[in-house]
Amino acid sequence: ATSPRVFVVATDMPLLTADLVLALVAWSEADAVVPRTAGRTHPLCAVYAREAVLPVARARLAGDDLALRGVLDAVATVWLEPDDVARIDPEGRSLVNVNTPEDLARVEEILAGS
């Protein structure tokens, strides 16, 4: 990536809405803007400032530390808090992950009901 700010999203978030993406991009120009819900952080649906985050991420990878939490602790991170996420995504679907067959079935049920 060559842009000053980079939006990162995991491929297992099929219900992510444009509203949440736009909110993350517009929220703040911190080093990282990351949503969290019910005590869970979502660093794979976030906006990162390339110049600030890239050297930290590379150093942590070189040290065989793959946890994104450490990167977020080392840079200026702004959290999109659960109440903020709920205002943007009242149905709470945007950050649903599909990691298991059961998760997939749940998403298919949601989509069938839409």
Side-chain angles (χ1 to χ4, degrees):
T2 57
S3 297
R5 297 177 77 216
V6 179
F7 173 66
V8 174
V9 66
T11 60
D12 65 350
M13 296 179 148
L15 303 177
L16 182 62
T17 65
D19 288 343
L20 184 59
V21 174
L22 291 171
L24 288 167
V25 170
W27 200 258
S28 170
E29 291 208 19
D31 294 342
V33 181
V34 184
R36 56 180 163 195
T37 55
R40 185 163 178 223
T41 61
H42 299 274
L44 292 179
C45 180
V47 175
Y48 294 95
R50 185 177 172 277
E51 282 188 33
V53 175
L54 188 57
V56 173
R58 283 186 172 154
R60 296 184 70 79
L61 285 170
D64 204 27
D65 184 350
L66 306 180
L68 278 173
R69 182 71 204 180
V71 173
L72 298 176
D73 288 343
V75 299
T77 300
V78 171
W79 301 100
L80 192 66
E81 296 294 350
D83 289 343
D84 302 316
V85 174
R87 277 192 296 280
I88 298 161
D89 178 25
E91 294 176 334
R93 295 179 177 177
S94 283
L95 297 170
V96 170
N97 293 17
V98 176
N99 297 315
T100 66
E102 295 79 18
D103 294 340
L104 179 58
R106 188 176 84 224
V107 166
E108 288 172 340
E109 285 176 20
I110 290 169
L111 292 174
S114 294

